[in-house]
Amino acid sequence: MTEILRLLAKDCALTHAQIAAMLGVTTGEVAAAVRDYEDKGVILGYKAVVDWEKIGIETVTALIDVKTTPQRGEGFDRVAERIYQYDEVESLYLMSGGYDLSVLITGRTMKEVALFVAEKLAPLEAVTGTATHFLLKKYKERGAVFADREEQQERMKLL
Amino acid sequence: MNGFQWKMGDRALALKPSGIRKFFDILESMPEAISLGIGEPDFVTPWPVRDMGIYSLEKGFTKYTPNAGLSELRTEVARYMRRHYGLSYDAQRQTVVTVGGSEGIDLMMRAVLDPDDEVLIPQPSFVCYGPIATLVGARPVYIETTAENDFRLTAAQLRGAITPKTRLLVLPFPNNPTGAIMEWADLEAIAEVLRETKIMVLSDEIYAELTYGTRHVSLAQIPGMYERTVVINGLSKSHAMTGWRMGYACGPDEVIQTMVKIHQYAIMSAPTTSQYAAVEALRNGDESIMAMREEYDTRRRFVIDRLRGMGLPCFEPLGAFYVFPDIRGTGLTSDAFCERLLREKKVATVPGEAFGDSGSGFVRCCYATSMRQLAEALDRIESFLENINK
């Protein structure tokens, strides 16, 4: 039933009945499999990709490179946990390369984001340095393109 | 105006105008309609292919190509035919690049037919075979495939249609509009009949990449058939490249060279930009084909399931991207069904008789459109059926 995951990962608005028809199984089987995936934490959430700007809502997103001191016996996990507990943190990744953690946060204003870095992130004991990069424009997110797609206007409609 | 009188050629005059003309006009006035009436992928051509077309323009590759097509492209065509269907063609002598599969059909008929020759055409099928044969002066002879046989051509039907004048058999599978396919055993039975004759075959395999649960078999793969078959194919359906007009034909040296001769007078060469893009598509596009096929397959199952759930009998189409439900139970003709569905629910479909008499009572729905649109269209069809039954 991993096919179900493939379909939902692409479009989580599909109903169980639609998925069932697409895969040739019953709606009940889909519902049971989805519940099982949710229970086991395979499916972690269902979220829409929203272009807030289009309805006039301003948001500020920043990617913050964080350097840390790994801790004995826990590596980066302990400091990572202390960071992802904040609701402002949308994504958190451990990185290879010049820094350790990459934090993606969204706030209402640049000041709000800056304050979060200054007051919450930087003071953490294991954090030895941060570099904040503000997003200027979103082109594509999780497979969704933000620009309006232009359709070819003149085309055959029936053949 | 000084009253000049045009005189149209008899053969052109005799061509029937398209039976679905009126639907165009209704659709024009209905921008919000959902069209399941267009036989074309909803995908945009994969980006690497588009990019290669753009790159060729940047480099200034805007001249004619050799008549038969870029040799690089023909090499890729030959490799593709071997890789996908196990068929060996010499790139330089046995392939020609055409303006869509349609031109290949036209070339092949013009290359082999004489006036009064009979051309066997299974129907329902795409609308071009009869008119092209007619323009050459040949006589189309239609063989009506039936729902009972899953719209496959049977050996008995073929045998019954052959006369001393039969010169060419058109084999349009996977089939537009029914979605029917011919599997190895079906083709073997056809081959058995053909072997006793001198009939040549035009095998239109434009939907070859779109079969579900089973691999496409080309008639040319059946022992003894390669020598008498021209395979028509192209990138329109497989690589979502309809607007690029990229087709090709493969077959024995003699017929392909005759086709090239006609092509060089009538067309010169296929569009250069499209040919460069096609090289990339054939060389590196197999994964895109697979991804699109999987997507069509999920939609296919969804549509069949919904239509059957509404009580419309619907044989399982294993190819192309069409379903062909039987609407006779509604008491409407397919023409009336399609017109009312369009006017009342704003969903465009095509009546089966547009593709031949045996299509009457059926409706072609193309599922090459987004799941969202399909779900909405099917809801509308369901409510349409409820209204009829009241």
Side-chain angles (χ1 to χ4, degrees):
Chain A
M1 294 298 243
T2 52
E3 282 292 287
I4 294 180
L5 294 174
R6 198 179 56 79
L7 290 173
L8 284 175
K10 229 190 290 176
D11 181 4
C12 67
L14 288 173
T15 65
H16 292 172
Q18 284 174 333
I19 295 172
M22 288 156 83
L23 300 179
V25 297
T26 66
T27 309
E29 283 171 317
V30 174
V34 168
R35 203 177 314 113
D36 193 47
Y37 284 132
E38 289 169 352
D39 291 346
K40 289 184 172 140
V42 176
I43 293 177
L44 295 170
Y46 304 87
K47 299 186 179 188
V49 182
V50 179
D51 186 352
W52 294 107
E53 236 173 68
K54 209 166 217 171
I55 50 166
I57 295 181
E58 296 285 336
T59 62
V60 176
T61 302
L63 263 171
I64 307 157
D65 308 340
V66 183
K67 284 188 178 165
T68 66
T69 316
Q71 283 158 321
R72 186 188 293 265
E74 311 223 33
F76 295 95
D77 293 352
R78 189 170 151 72
V79 61
E81 197 179 323
R82 296 193 63 176
I83 294 173
Y84 71 61
Q85 299 289 354
Y86 290 106
D87 287 341
E88 297 91 326
V89 175
E90 226 171 84
S91 306
L92 175 62
Y93 310 102
L94 178 64
M95 310 296 289
S96 67
Y99 59 98
D100 304 312
L101 294 171
S102 177
V103 184
L104 190 128
I105 92 161
T106 297
R108 278 190 301 274
T109 63
M110 209 179 261
K111 190 173 170 193
E112 194 178 286
V113 173
L115 276 177
F116 174 80
V117 175
E119 291 177 0
K120 309 266 173 57
L121 204 53
L124 288 174
E125 206 177 327
V127 171
T128 59
T130 63
T132 304
H133 313 280
F134 286 100
L135 259 69
L136 300 182
K137 183 170 179 180
K138 284 186 185 179
Y139 290 99
K140 187 175 181 182
E141 195 171 285
R142 288 185 290 157
V145 173
F146 281 66
D148 289 332
R149 186 175 133 182
E150 270 185 65
E151 290 287 343
Q152 182 179 330
Q153 286 304 317
E154 290 188 52
R155 46 177 296 212
M156 221 181 276
K157 287 190 177 146
L158 272 178
L159 87 151
Chain B
M1 294 295 282
N2 57 1
F4 181 80
Q5 286 285 308
W6 281 90
K7 156 81 177 72
M8 296 302 139
D10 291 340
R11 288 171 184 170
L13 266 184
L15 293 183
K16 269 194 300 183
S18 166
I20 53 176
R21 189 66 242 175
K22 66 175 173 193
F23 293 93
F24 283 87
D25 301 335
I26 306 174
L27 252 182
E28 274 312 312
S29 66
M30 235 183 233
E32 70 282 27
I34 299 178
S35 182
L36 307 183
I38 182 88
E40 138 173 272
D42 60 316
F43 298 107
V44 177
T45 307
W47 170 249
V49 177
R50 285 185 277 157
D51 188 42
M52 188 55 79
I54 294 166
Y55 181 67
S56 76
L57 289 172
E58 282 177 356
K59 300 278 266 187
F61 297 162
T62 57
K63 306 281 201 305
Y64 293 125
T65 71
N67 292 125
L70 291 170
S71 71
E72 194 186 4
L73 176 54
R74 281 180 290 149
T75 300
E76 288 306 329
V77 166
R79 284 185 182 149
Y80 182 90
M81 293 302 279
R82 190 169 310 120
R83 188 166 76 241
H84 286 243
Y85 314 113
L87 290 168
S88 290
Y89 293 104
D90 178 77
Q92 303 310 313
R93 302 285 307 165
Q94 294 188 278
T95 69
V96 54
V97 177
T98 57
V99 180
S102 302
E103 195 218 342
I105 295 164
D106 185 38
L107 287 180
M108 201 262 182
M109 290 206 184
R110 287 205 267 170
V112 304
L113 292 176
D114 283 314
D116 296 327
D117 285 345
E118 290 181 356
V119 182
L120 300 181
I121 303 171
Q123 279 192 332
S125 60
F126 185 52
V127 294
C128 77
Y129 311 114
I132 293 176
T134 306
L135 285 173
V136 191
R139 207 164 69 78
V141 175
Y142 296 106
I143 304 176
E144 305 292 343
T145 62
T146 62
E148 295 73 58
N149 293 321
D150 287 351
F151 292 105
R152 295 176 193 217
L153 175 66
T154 68
Q157 285 183 307
L158 174 60
R159 193 176 283 113
I162 292 174
T163 74
K165 288 189 160 182
T166 306
R167 283 280 291 281
L168 180 68
L169 166 67
V170 174
L171 211 53
F173 297 96
N175 182 271
N176 170 11
T178 64
I181 63 167
M182 295 282 279
E183 293 181 89
W184 188 280
D186 305 309
L187 291 171
E188 181 55 55
I190 296 299
E192 192 63 37
V193 177
L194 292 174
R195 281 190 196 103
E196 307 153 10
T197 72
K198 290 187 171 156
I199 296 172
M200 300 170 283
V201 183
L202 186 168
S203 190
D204 183 352
E205 303 182 14
I206 192 76
Y207 292 99
E209 286 307 324
L210 300 179
T211 59
Y212 309 102
T214 174
R215 289 291 299 160
H216 171 73
V217 184
S218 170
L219 181 75
Q221 290 172 260
I222 308 291
M225 294 295 107
Y226 177 90
E227 297 78 1
R228 67 171 75 212
T229 303
V230 167
V231 176
I232 302 292
N233 207 330
L235 291 94
S236 293
K237 319 294 178 176
S238 56
H239 295 80
M241 291 180 70
T242 46
W244 299 78
R245 310 310 302 126
M246 267 290 95
Y248 50 89
C250 302
D253 197 322
E254 194 183 354
V255 57
I256 294 296
Q257 289 313 309
T258 309
M259 289 166 68
V260 170
K261 189 167 67 180
I262 300 168
H263 172 82
Q264 76 191 12
Y265 288 125
I267 302 286
M268 305 278 284
S269 61
T272 302
T273 312
S274 300
Q275 291 194 53
Y276 280 103
V279 170
E280 168 66 19
L282 292 179
R283 191 177 281 160
N284 298 316
D286 285 7
E287 280 192 28
S288 303
I289 296 178
M290 274 165 47
M292 289 190 271
R293 178 168 51 221
E294 274 184 36
E295 185 71 37
Y296 290 136
D297 194 18
T298 52
R299 297 176 191 176
R300 180 183 71 97
R301 283 178 284 193
F302 172 66
V303 173
I304 298 169
D305 187 77
R306 285 291 311 271
L307 290 173
R308 285 179 178 163
M310 298 172 202
L312 288 183
C314 192
F315 102 101
E316 184 175 359
L318 295 175
F321 38 50
Y322 308 103
V323 289
F324 204 55
D326 179 346
I327 55 92
R328 287 173 291 188
T330 62
L332 296 175
T333 64
S334 30
D335 196 69
F337 182 96
C338 293
E339 185 168 349
R340 282 187 55 184
L341 179 61
L342 181 55
R343 287 190 191 281
E344 294 169 26
K345 297 290 174 184
K346 299 185 168 51
V347 175
T349 54
V350 182
E353 59 257 37
F355 306 96
D357 293 343
S358 61
S360 111
F362 296 82
V363 165
R364 190 192 76 173
C365 307
C366 174
Y367 53 81
T369 190
S370 71
M371 273 303 289
R372 193 172 306 278
Q373 293 257 62
L374 280 177
E376 172 64 26
L378 287 158
D379 287 345
R380 294 189 196 178
I381 293 174
E382 188 162 33
S383 109
F384 174 67
L385 289 172
E386 282 162 7
N387 286 350
I388 292 182
N389 293 336
K390 265 181 206 159

